[in-house]
Amino acid sequence: MAPWLQRQGFDVVGLDTGYFSACTLVPDLAEVPTIHQDLREVTAKELTGFDAVIHLAALSNDPIGNLNEAWTREINSQGTIRLAKLAKQAGVTRFIFSSSCIMYGTSEATVVDENAPLAPRTEYARSKVEAETALRALADDRFSPTFCRNGTVYGLSPRMRFDTVLNDFMGNAFTTGRIVIQSDGTPWRPVVHVQDVARAFQAVLEAPLETVHNQAFNVGADKLNHQIRELGQIAAQSVPGCELASVPQPGADQRTYKADFAKFKRTFPEFSFRWTATDGARELYTAFQRIGLKHDAFRDKRFTRLSWLRHLLDSGSIDDSLRWTEITANVSRNRA
Ligand SMILES: NC(=O)c1ccc[n+]([C@@H]2O[C@H](COP(=O)([O-])OP(=O)(O)OC[C@H]3O[C@@H](n4cnc5c(N)ncnc54)[C@H](O)[C@@H]3O)[C@@H](O)[C@H]2O)c1
């Protein structure tokens, strides 16, 4: 998103504690000036002078929340609320929060629009609900939060995540010639390409304030609601000779939600989501061929958020509050 916005002429500064800075699959697209900091320690002074905050930083998935709920609460929920209060204090007008369709958490395949009751089932989903609720209360004529509820993101990125559904299927398809769906394949998931997410956030950033002020949007398009088995088929068809099997496991992930994207379409009639899951699968296939992706690399801890955080904890790089330890801080200071 940052390189994309830079290319569109925005003056972008990143802020990230850098948990995954070493987890690069393909080169960065551009250099982005970045404040290397934990969002829990940001000050209002550092936010002064910005027109907008696009708040993406988070522990971004359910398994991390399941490992330790307190981390997800502290970073995703309390950290977001603190950041938004400081942004408001610093005179930042727009605050675009990267939220998630996962907060609907429904188990029936109903179609959920932005007014559907929220039924978060995991700490990660709850953290998004709590943050949205608190941000809503901060909205006034000086501060406009917007809640972008993304579907599950796919596509190539420098710090690749293989822990999201289509990326995972493609990694398996390419490196083993086989995809195993661990459920019966019926759950619905809205998916969206990372470049379309960047473009959608840009649309929100450039929209007249009154159209996005304190509004939630499901970010995606109806054609991007897929059942897991369809995503498996799309991935399998993109890799010659790939087999697709379904081996439902007890306790398999049966979260299902089919999002309604009418509000986004109504609000941004000029905008189109350019990527389909099939395009995304092709993009990944070509990229994996180019870099010669092997199974070991695909399964490497660097590309699964939870495994990498566990590694940072086990190696003493971060402490049990997920802050960099003194040792790590000294090493990076010496390197700098
Ligand atoms: N990837 C998806 O499928 C998806 C779907 C819906 C919503 N989202 C949301 O979009 C956002 C971005 O997701 P992503 O897939 O790029 O995740 P990611 O894990 O790739 O990136 C999150 C970034 O946040 C940083 N971060 C985490 N805790 C921090 C802290 N305390 N201080 C500073 N930086 C911190 C990490 O270092 C990381 O670079 C998240 O808020 C996520 O919840 C993602």
Side-chain angles (χ1 to χ4, degrees), residues 15-21 35 37-42 55-61 64 74-76 79 97-102 124 127-128 148-154 157 159-161 163-165 192 194 197 201 305 309 321-322 324:
L15 187 144
D16 198 300
T17 191
Y19 290 142
F20 310 107
S21 49
I35 303 169
Q37 198 180 22
D38 194 301
L39 74 90
R40 292 169 288 183
E41 266 98 58
V42 174
H55 179 39
L56 296 153
L59 297 179
S60 170
N61 68 10
I64 301 174
E74 195 183 312
I75 294 175
N76 294 12
F97 178 51
S98 189
S99 192
S100 173
C101 283
I102 209 163
Y124 171 66
S127 76
K128 295 291 182 189
C148 289
R149 297 177 181 169
N150 309 305
T152 301
V153 181
Y154 64 90
S157 66
R159 276 161 207 84
M160 191 67 184
R161 291 187 58 180
D163 52 8
T164 64
V165 60
V192 59
V194 60
V197 174
F201 275 57
R305 293 297 182 247
L309 281 180
S321 73
L322 299 193
W324 295 102

